[in-house]
Amino acid sequence: MDEDIERLREYALLISNLLHDLRTPLGSIAGGASVLDQYSDKLDEAAKSRICDGIMEQTRRLDSLFTALAALARARTGTLQREARSVELNELLRGLWAVDPNSGGSPGDTSLSREEVFLFTDPAVIRVLLTSMLGLAAFFAPGNGRPALSLALDGETVTIAIESATRDDGHIRLRKMLEGRGPGAMTHPEPKADAISLAAILEVVHSLGGEFDILHDEAGRRLRQTVSLKTTDNPDRAG
């Protein structure tokens, strides 16, 4: 009972602290739409394009944040893998990367496994994982950042990695985020979208029984996220 009460308190504090992070992109979207509505006839095409790009960027930010929050809620209530089945990871990642990159820039290089890789999971779980990892990358990426996705198979372990560039002014925040990583990170007085994405990644990876690692090369301005999971031997066994 005490544990349930404490969890409710954490959620209440989290939701309260997230209002600012939600209002910021909503304000930007509303502002951009208002400018287009009132001054569209007076704006040149370049200005319209910049405003539309800003609206889309903030929309992606909101989508990433809501996806991460949904993942947290579902993982903590044990409903994250309702539709678990055997899926081929190369095909799944290729499709997700093509239609829903949800990153700060266009998708970059993709290096997938030459062998088929099967996991027993809900495909939506991998979507949440990829979206959260890309959301974290996008938070620190420069405007033209192009994250790179790779998939490697070593025995019974598959590793999904996303590598991305980081802004020159992002390393301090990134260092603080990594130093503050832990059980209390989500209830920090001023949680940011990066902390939400990181928490979602950790929850999803935990639900899959895997491991997550994140490396920040401050000198090279690079961020590398890796998730290691145990594969399913074959689809028949998984079913």
Side-chain angles (χ1 to χ4, degrees):
M1 185 67 175
D2 290 342
E3 183 178 345
D4 292 338
I5 292 174
E6 183 60 30
R7 178 164 292 191
L8 285 174
R9 286 175 178 170
E10 287 185 5
Y11 274 115
L13 182 59
L14 171 61
I15 292 170
S16 176
N17 289 335
L18 277 172
L19 287 177
H20 176 73
D21 255 11
L22 293 173
R23 285 171 176 161
T24 298
L26 280 174
S28 297
I29 292 169
S34 178
V35 170
L36 289 175
D37 181 50
Q38 296 182 48
Y39 304 105
S40 179
D41 295 340
K42 299 178 182 179
L43 297 173
D44 59 30
E45 291 303 316
K48 291 180 183 178
S49 180
R50 286 195 299 271
I51 294 173
C52 289
D53 286 346
I55 291 175
M56 292 304 299
E57 180 181 351
Q58 294 303 321
T59 300
R60 285 192 295 267
R61 179 182 175 189
L62 275 178
D63 180 67
S64 178
L65 191 57
F66 283 130
T67 299
L69 285 171
L72 283 170
R74 293 174 65 192
R76 293 189 180 189
T77 55
T79 61
L80 195 61
Q81 296 204 67
R82 281 181 173 171
E83 304 296 331
R85 59 183 175 83
S86 183
V87 296
E88 205 287 303
L89 200 53
N90 287 284
E91 181 180 355
L92 181 62
L93 289 180
R94 190 180 295 111
L96 292 176
W97 191 252
V99 302
D100 189 19
N102 195 22
S103 63
S106 301
D109 297 333
T110 305
S111 176
L112 300 179
S113 173
R114 295 183 179 180
E115 303 176 56
E116 290 187 320
V117 181
F118 289 96
L119 287 180
F120 188 70
T121 185
D122 185 340
V125 174
I126 303 300
R127 180 188 182 279
V128 169
L129 177 61
L130 186 65
T131 301
S132 299
M133 292 173 73
L134 286 168
L136 183 59
F139 190 92
F140 297 100
N144 60 348
R146 292 173 59 85
L149 171 71
S150 66
L151 177 68
L153 182 63
D154 183 9
E156 297 181 350
T157 300
V158 60
T159 299
I160 303 170
I162 291 181
E163 187 168 345
S164 56
T166 58
R167 301 187 309 273
D168 291 345
D169 61 348
H171 65 281
I172 295 177
R173 170 65 193 169
L174 182 54
R175 189 192 313 134
K176 288 182 178 179
M177 182 199 71
L178 295 178
E179 289 173 352
R181 176 177 162 187
M186 292 297 295
T187 53
H188 187 277
E190 295 183 3
K192 296 294 183 181
D194 57 336
I196 304 300
S197 293
L198 178 60
I201 294 167
L202 294 173
E203 290 280 0
V204 172
V205 172
H206 176 72
S207 77
L208 293 172
E211 296 181 358
F212 175 71
D213 192 23
I214 181 168
L215 296 175
H216 173 217
D217 178 1
E218 190 169 321
R221 297 288 190 265
R222 303 292 297 176
L223 180 67
R224 181 177 175 83
Q225 306 172 63
T226 58
V227 173
S228 298
L229 305 169
K230 291 297 182 182
T231 64
T232 304
D233 290 342
N234 57 63
D236 294 329
R237 178 183 293 188

